[in-house]
């Protein structure tokens, strides 16, 4: 979805997971519109990009090769950067009081994008 003047594109995480190819094409189209640069669409490359950036694949790469951006806990042990991915259910991990404050503060925005 483009705003009225075309300066941003709202992409929801769920769209990246559930409609990867369609969402990726929307992103490329948006880049073309705001930059004026023609981007060649190669369906095979897009499928390969999507396959190579699936959560399980990058999590496995982190386990095998490490990930520089990963933080360490107080004992110096690395904390996985790619932790839960699509299995992360924020509703279960966020304190109810904090969740209610967020939902109250951003009610209009969350309704607009279908989170409430």
């Amino acid at each position: 979805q483009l705003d009225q003047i075309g300066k941003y594109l709202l992409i929801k995480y769920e769209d990246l997971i559930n409609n990867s190819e369609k969402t990726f094409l929307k992103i490329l189209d948006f880049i073309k519109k705001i930059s004026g640069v023609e981007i060649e669409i190669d369906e095979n490359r897009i499928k390969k990009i999507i396959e190579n950036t699936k959560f399980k694949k990058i999590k496995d790469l982190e386990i095998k090769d490490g990930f520089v951006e990963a933080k360490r806990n107080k004992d110096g042990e690395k904390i996985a950067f790619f932790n839960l991915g699509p299995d992360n259910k924020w509703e279960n991990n966020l304190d109810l009081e904090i969740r209610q404050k967020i939902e109250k503060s951003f009610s209009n925005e969350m309704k607009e994008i279908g989170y409430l």
Side-chain angles (χ1 to χ4, degrees), residues 3-111:
D3 71 328
Q4 293 82 359
I5 54 176
K7 299 280 184 183
Y8 71 87
L9 174 68
L10 176 65
I11 299 293
K12 294 183 350 185
Y13 179 74
E14 297 84 359
D15 294 337
L16 286 169
I17 299 301
N18 298 325
N19 299 306
S20 302
E21 190 169 341
K22 181 179 176 184
T23 303
F24 191 76
L25 290 170
K26 281 174 70 172
I27 293 168
L28 290 177
D29 187 52
F30 178 75
I31 292 169
K32 285 172 28 176
K33 285 179 182 175
I34 64 170
S35 69
V37 174
E38 192 57 38
I39 299 173
E40 183 181 331
I41 305 293
D42 180 333
E43 288 187 36
N44 290 327
R45 280 185 82 191
I46 290 172
K47 288 180 188 326
K48 191 171 187 176
I49 289 166
I50 291 169
E51 187 59 37
N52 286 332
T53 56
K54 285 191 174 181
F55 182 79
K56 178 164 180 13
K57 185 155 190 151
I58 57 177
K59 184 170 181 64
D60 289 346
L61 281 172
E62 178 182 17
I63 291 167
K64 179 180 171 245
D65 299 329
F67 191 73
V68 177
E69 287 80 358
K71 303 289 182 202
R72 295 186 180 273
N73 66 17
K74 61 183 176 184
D75 297 325
E77 299 165 341
K78 279 197 174 182
I79 301 169
F81 185 86
F82 297 101
N83 186 17
L84 298 174
D87 294 332
N88 184 8
K89 301 294 182 208
W90 64 269
E91 303 94 326
N92 301 333
N93 297 325
L94 192 60
D95 180 76
L96 181 60
E97 186 178 325
I98 294 172
R99 178 181 173 179
Q100 289 171 338
K101 285 181 181 179
I102 291 171
E103 289 175 351
K104 182 178 179 186
S105 296
F106 298 100
S107 176
N108 291 337
E109 292 85 351
M110 292 180 80
K111 285 177 184 171

